[in-house]
Amino acid sequence: MSGNEQAERYFAGIKWGLDNPTVLLVAAYSPPPTDHIHIMRELFESNLLFDDLLPIAKAWAVELHIRKFFCDPREPEFIKRMRRQRLYAVAAPEELGLARNLLGKRLGNYKQGIPGGITISRECPKTIPEFMKYRMPERDPRRPFRDKPLDMDNYGIGALHFLILGLASEVTPRVRWL
């Protein structure tokens, strides 16, 4: 590691579910100049109760030194319960349009081989196929186009969106006006 590179840091994104899968994605983030996100571990489980998720999140936090969990903001009580267990959990922003743009930019950077990319490990067997199924609706000339994906096969993508948005706010330098 050269003098100006920093060590990887680990972050997680969570999308709650019961009938739909609960998804927990863990990413290794390499700070600039690399600025790379590598999704390295997943939990993708239907009918998973919060009390069953909590020990898994705690174990992964200890094992990987997860700095922060960026959580689906629709369940603030779950976030509070994670904090009571000494997990650094925060509600992620709900700006999903921005998340799609940031994700698209990272995918483009990866394809071009420039810093700021994203990769997904083969150790995430449910996230990768879901990513390939993610679709925007077909354009209908009788209705205005909606910039919203089809609401199916998007649970892991939701966790990824929360992770991307949380990381964008976490690692973006803050400007201090004098």
Side-chain angles (χ1 to χ4, degrees):
M1 185 176 350
S2 69
N4 65 349
E5 287 186 33
Q6 296 177 6
E8 287 182 330
R9 295 182 262 168
Y10 296 90
F11 297 90
I14 299 178
K15 172 117 172 93
W16 317 112
L18 187 57
D19 294 332
N20 297 326
T22 292
V23 180
L24 168 59
L25 297 178
V26 178
Y29 174 71
S30 300
T34 308
D35 188 29
H36 187 82
I37 298 171
H38 178 67
I39 308 302
M40 54 171 290
R41 189 177 287 181
E42 73 175 6
L43 171 76
F44 205 111
E45 194 72 42
S46 294
N47 301 315
L48 184 70
L49 299 175
F50 180 79
D51 289 336
D52 296 327
L53 171 67
L54 198 53
I56 296 166
K58 286 175 72 174
W60 288 9
V62 168
E63 176 191 348
L64 298 170
H65 305 287
I66 296 172
R67 294 174 67 104
K68 196 177 284 188
F69 290 83
F70 299 107
C71 305
D72 182 343
R74 293 180 204 142
E75 294 291 346
E77 190 56 38
F78 288 171
I79 296 168
K80 288 177 190 173
R81 288 180 64 194
M82 288 182 78
R83 287 184 189 156
R84 283 195 295 265
Q85 295 295 315
R86 302 206 186 290
L87 294 170
Y88 192 4
V90 297
E94 273 196 276
E95 302 170 39
L96 297 183
L98 176 59
R100 284 192 296 276
N101 290 338
L102 291 170
L103 182 56
K105 176 77 170 151
R106 284 195 170 275
L107 288 169
N109 289 350
Y110 174 74
K111 287 179 185 175
Q112 295 175 20
I114 59 176
I118 186 169
T119 52
I120 301 174
S121 170
R122 287 190 168 102
E123 302 298 316
C124 300
K126 294 187 178 179
T127 301
I128 294 170
E130 183 179 278
F131 200 89
M132 302 308 283
K133 293 179 195 175
Y134 190 70
R135 296 284 181 259
M136 296 298 280
E138 295 293 323
R139 214 171 246 250
D140 184 347
R142 299 169 297 188
R143 295 160 132 194
F145 181 69
R146 295 188 179 113
D147 189 22
K148 190 173 180 182
L150 298 175
D151 193 20
M152 57 191 243
D153 299 317
N154 61 358
Y155 313 108
I157 300 300
L160 183 58
H161 283 164
F162 295 134
L163 179 62
I164 294 285
L165 285 168
L167 266 172
S169 64
E170 177 80 13
V171 300
T172 303
R174 306 279 192 269
V175 176
R176 183 171 173 200
W177 299 97
L178 299 177

